[in-house]
């Protein structure tokens, strides 16, 4: 049995669907009730309460773990006690490139490495789906606003992250690996706005924000430390953060999906 935490999330929900389609027994863990594929067992639990995860972990042999909760070692101890022997952690690229800003995922990575379990760490960069932040302004005024409009990064499709996770959870040969997950090419915010316009069939105007405008907006839903790290990556990415990684293709045997592909599949959100 495979336990999937964050089972209602952008990546976790797709991991559940892929594992179920592959015939795996799945326990989906989330803080709220969820609509899940037939046959999936659901446990309402919170990663901030490791003791409350006992029922989810009993009889499991693998775990897809989000960076959530404040005590990763207690979560992993509970998982090991329930029978889990393999853990796949969804971390963040920033844990490797800017650990001073991304201390939470870095702490989870350290705990996973020390857990005594067979582990694999996934480090995605920015998600294609971060463009959902533009959905309302594109629907209402065909405008997308962001800072650093001409700085390119290799963002990744959450569907590719989920497919890598589901593969690593099911296959041997990935123990002790850290996979850097990116899309197939660098794209700028201006180019991503244009790709959404092409998918919608109407041009989208790009409005470049100042760093301070973006910072004020991001502070409404992100901790200050993460905001500063994110702005540093968006505005002054390192060579490592701009690098297109081969790891998606290495695991899946195919290239990662482009931003334009993601925009076409999710065009309804912007109409």
């Amino acid at each position: 049995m495979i336990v999937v935490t964050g089972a209602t999330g952008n990546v976790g929900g797709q991991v559940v669907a892929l594992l179920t389609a592959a015939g795996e027994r799945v326990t989906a863990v989330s803080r709220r009730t969820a609509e899940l594929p037939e046959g999936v067992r659901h446990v309402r639990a919170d990663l901030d309460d490791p003791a409350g995860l006992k029922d989810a972990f009993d009889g499991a042999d693998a775990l897809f773990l989000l960076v959530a909760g404040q005590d990763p070692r207690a979560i992993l101890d509970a998982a090991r006690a329930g029978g889990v022997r393999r853990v796949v952690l969804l971390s963040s690229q920033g844990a490797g490139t800017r650990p001073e800003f991304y201390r939470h995922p870095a702490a989870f990575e350290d705990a996973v490495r020390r857990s005594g379990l067979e582990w694999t760490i996934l480090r995605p960069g920015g998600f294609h789906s971060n463009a959902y932040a533009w959905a309302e302004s594109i629907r209402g005024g065909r405008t997308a606003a962001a800072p650093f409009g001409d700085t390119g990064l290799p963002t990744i499709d959450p569907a590719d992250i989920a497919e890598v996770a589901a593969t690593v959870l099911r296959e041997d040969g990935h123990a002790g690996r850290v996979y850097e997950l990116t899309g197939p090419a660098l794209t700028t915010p201006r180019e991503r706005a244009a790709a959404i316009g092409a998918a919608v069939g109407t041009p989208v105007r790009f409005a470049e924000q100042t760093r301070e405008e973006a910072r004020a907006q991001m502070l409404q839903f992100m901790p200050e430390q993460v905001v500063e790290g994110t702005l540093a990556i968006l505005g002054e990415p390192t060579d490592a953060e701009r690098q297109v990684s081969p790891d998606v293709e290495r695991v899946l045997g195919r290239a990662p999906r482009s931003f334009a592909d993601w925009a076409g599949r999710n065009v309804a959100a912007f109409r």
Side-chain angles (χ1 to χ4, degrees), residues 79-93:
R80 188 171 54 249
V84 169
R85 60 179 181 82
R86 173 179 296 175
V87 58
V88 176
L89 175 69
L90 180 60
S91 183
S92 169
Q93 181 186 63

Side-chain angles (χ1 to χ4, degrees), residues 10-11 90 93 122-131 153-164 179-185 187 192 245 247-249 252 254-259 262 265:
N10 198 16
V11 175
L90 180 60
Q93 181 186 63
L122 309 182
R123 286 182 178 167
F127 289 16
H128 292 345
S129 56
N130 290 347
L153 289 168
T155 61
I156 184 167
D157 194 323
D160 286 337
I161 301 171
E163 192 170 339
V164 169
Y179 289 128
E180 307 283 346
L181 305 182
T182 73
T187 61
R192 293 193 286 273
S245 169
D247 286 347
V248 169
E249 187 161 7
L252 301 182
R254 63 162 178 81
R257 299 174 176 95
S258 69
F259 182 84
W262 178 88
R265 296 192 339 263

Side-chain angles (χ1 to χ4, degrees), residues 91-114:
S91 183
S92 169
Q93 181 186 63
T97 61
R98 301 179 191 258
E100 69 276 19
F101 292 116
Y102 290 83
R103 293 175 184 167
H104 201 195
F108 268 72
E109 289 193 9
D110 181 65
V112 163
R113 287 186 172 98
R114 297 172 181 268

Side-chain angles (χ1 to χ4, degrees), residues 1-7 11-29 36-41 60-65 86 88 122 159 161-171 252:
M1 183 177 69
I2 301 174
V3 175
V4 178
T5 63
V11 175
Q14 295 183 77
V15 174
V16 169
L18 288 165
L19 292 174
T20 304
E24 299 288 345
R25 292 190 303 126
V26 178
T27 292
V29 177
L36 297 165
E38 185 177 352
V40 173
R41 175 176 172 250
D61 53 24
L63 166 65
F64 176 71
L65 180 61
R86 173 179 296 175
V88 176
L122 309 182
I161 301 171
E163 192 170 339
V164 169
T167 300
V168 172
L169 284 162
R170 298 181 66 234
E171 290 184 356
L252 301 182

Side-chain angles (χ1 to χ4, degrees), residues 28-52:
V29 177
S30 65
R31 289 181 294 180
R32 61 182 185 274
T33 303
E35 289 189 17
L36 297 165
E38 185 177 352
V40 173
R41 175 176 172 250
H42 181 247
V43 175
R44 288 188 64 180
D46 193 325
L47 291 174
D48 258 325
D49 178 23

Side-chain angles (χ1 to χ4, degrees), residues 134 137-138 141-146 189-190 193-194 197 202-208:
W134 292 337
S137 66
I138 290 176
R142 290 295 184 256
T143 299
R190 195 182 307 276
T202 306
V204 170
R205 183 178 72 87
F206 181 77
E208 184 152 2

